Amino acid sequence: MRSTVVSKFLKKKKTSFYLFIVSGTGASALTYYNTLNPNRNRHSLLDVITTSFNGVLRSSRSLYTITANVVDYKYSLQGLWKDTDEYAQVLSQVHLRSAKRILKLCEVNQGFYIKAGQFVASVRQVPKEYSSTLASLQDQAVPCSFEAVKEVLISNLGSDLNEFFISIDEQPIAAASIAQVHRALLKDHQEVVLKIQYPGLKDRMKMDIATMSLLAKCVTWFFPEYRFQWMVSEFSKVIALELDFLQEARNSVTTAVNFKHNNRITVPKVFQELTTSQVLTMEYCRGRRVDDLDYIREMGIDPRKVAKVLVEAFAEMIFVHGFVHGDPHPGNILVSLDEKQGFRLVLLDHGIYKTLDEEFRVNYCQLWKALVLLDSHKIQQVAQHFGIGKYAKYLPLIFTGRTINSRSAFGEGMSVEEKTNLKQEVKSLSMGDVSEFMESLPSEFLTVLRTDALVRSLTSMLGSSQRERLVVYANYALHGLSLKRDSDSGNYFVSKGVRTRIMSGIGHLQVRLVLELLQLLWWLRDTRQAVITWAKQITRLVNHHHNPISVIS
């Protein structure tokens, strides 16, 4: 009933409201954009008119969608008590309707809106209705014509492309929200891929980010409990990094060095002389997407082994290197056949990386050590370092799926009683509480949360259990705590202080014992289940042998 009233209100006001938005928001966005770019190159009158008109349309669609969502939330939930089942049911319905409106907006506006939708879908702290609905945006980028991207190639590498390439395939092998990828053959017959940025992207980015920022501020002004500026701010940082292909080349080289001793991980070589801020030239690596389960099984590869290598790689990035790939979605990780080991993982798209502050890296390792032992005092202490002491009790739930006072073992999830108590507690949380929590998180924490969410989604799809991922994280956290960073070289080494080594050794031994005991208990439980299953099968066979007629009948 409530949703019908809201829908009628929106339809009734849509035409006049939309006209108001077109004039108001479009003008505001263009004014703000021109203020940001007073010295930009002047284009032809037609280009200016086209860019302005497209900007007005994109901005007005955005404001209409956000306003419709806010009105839906405000009026649909009005008068309902937060701790009731009716409130929870209506809230879920509004989440879903709002997510569908945003999905439609992203599909129509394309470009950075696709990227923004992907970003929201990867943040675990957003309602599941949003993450599941917007997840469909991962493969929705529409490629440009080759003529358009060829102009980008010429403006970056020179007019005579034959000087460098024997051939360039005009059909892209991949297309994303900011670039598309073409295979090519160098003069020395080396197979490469060209990642080419879409033309005019930076101008559109500035206007789109300005619009998103303006909308977020307007929403907060009208409804203080709905604060999304943190998300716009984080997204703008991420997208700015991703637009600079020279930075991506540097990230790629750093990651290759970090994994030079790991023969399970491959990072494509970058051809620096053919790389600019808009064109990235890399070696061509064969492989199939990590979510292509049919291919993985067809090649005789165990998907769970793929998951283990994947988790270990990202755990090493987070807990040891402190240099984290921020966008590990399925299209950025390939499974490549290897004669000696069966397979390797190829890591692609190194545009979004986060360098973790050394203090953050160590504290994050300490957090995971405390999560294994469920040391509530240490969890609280580390949370204070992160500036989220008020929400410390939710950290075990976010990372390990159990509450801070849980009696469940590490990796076992919550009991029925815990789930019931948690459900009641969550009902008391408001949108303002969620906004406050997200605003107070350090930027590094947001990156780690996002990366962890994407990794756990991939490992789950590959058939790996949560406990396997948690044990890998815990082991790498312990390894990370044993390292110290050289302030001059930036390299890590094992701490040699006698007292430090003894004290850390005792703490590590404690955690190791807990992990080993847990793995032993899990093995015994799995073995017991396997024996029971085997015994049942034997019993059925024996009964069938002694009484075949009754079985047939």
Side-chain angles (χ1 to χ4, degrees), residues 483-518:
L483 303 175
K484 296 293 179 183
R485 192 174 200 172
D486 185 278
S487 57
D488 295 325
S489 67
N491 296 325
Y492 288 96
F493 60 91
V494 178
S495 175
K496 294 183 179 180
V498 177
R499 185 176 180 277
T500 302
R501 289 176 66 183
I502 291 174
M503 295 304 294
S504 66
I506 292 172
H508 292 359
L509 180 61
Q510 184 184 14
V511 178
R512 292 283 184 200
L513 284 172
V514 170
L515 291 175
E516 292 299 330
L517 283 172
L518 282 173

Side-chain angles (χ1 to χ4, degrees), residues 468-491:
E468 290 170 315
R469 178 180 58 84
L470 295 180
V471 167
V472 169
Y473 275 17
N475 281 318
Y476 273 89
L478 291 181
H479 179 48
L481 283 173
S482 69
L483 303 175
K484 296 293 179 183
R485 192 174 200 172
D486 185 278
S487 57
D488 295 325
S489 67
N491 296 325

Side-chain angles (χ1 to χ4, degrees), residues 3 25 53 61 78 100 148 192 219 222 227 266 288 324 331 347 397 408 470 482 489 496 507 530 543:
S3 62
T25 311
F53 182 70
R61 290 188 201 111
Q78 196 172 47
K100 287 180 177 178
V192 296
V219 169
F222 284 109
R227 302 194 297 275
T266 295
R288 299 283 280 273
V324 185
L347 302 184
L397 179 65
S408 301
L470 295 180
S482 69
S489 67
K496 294 183 179 180
N543 290 338

Side-chain angles (χ1 to χ4, degrees), residues 243-257:
L243 281 178
D244 184 0
F245 288 178
L246 288 172
Q247 182 59 51
E248 179 172 349
R250 289 189 286 270
N251 293 342
S252 183
V253 171
T254 301
T255 304
V257 172

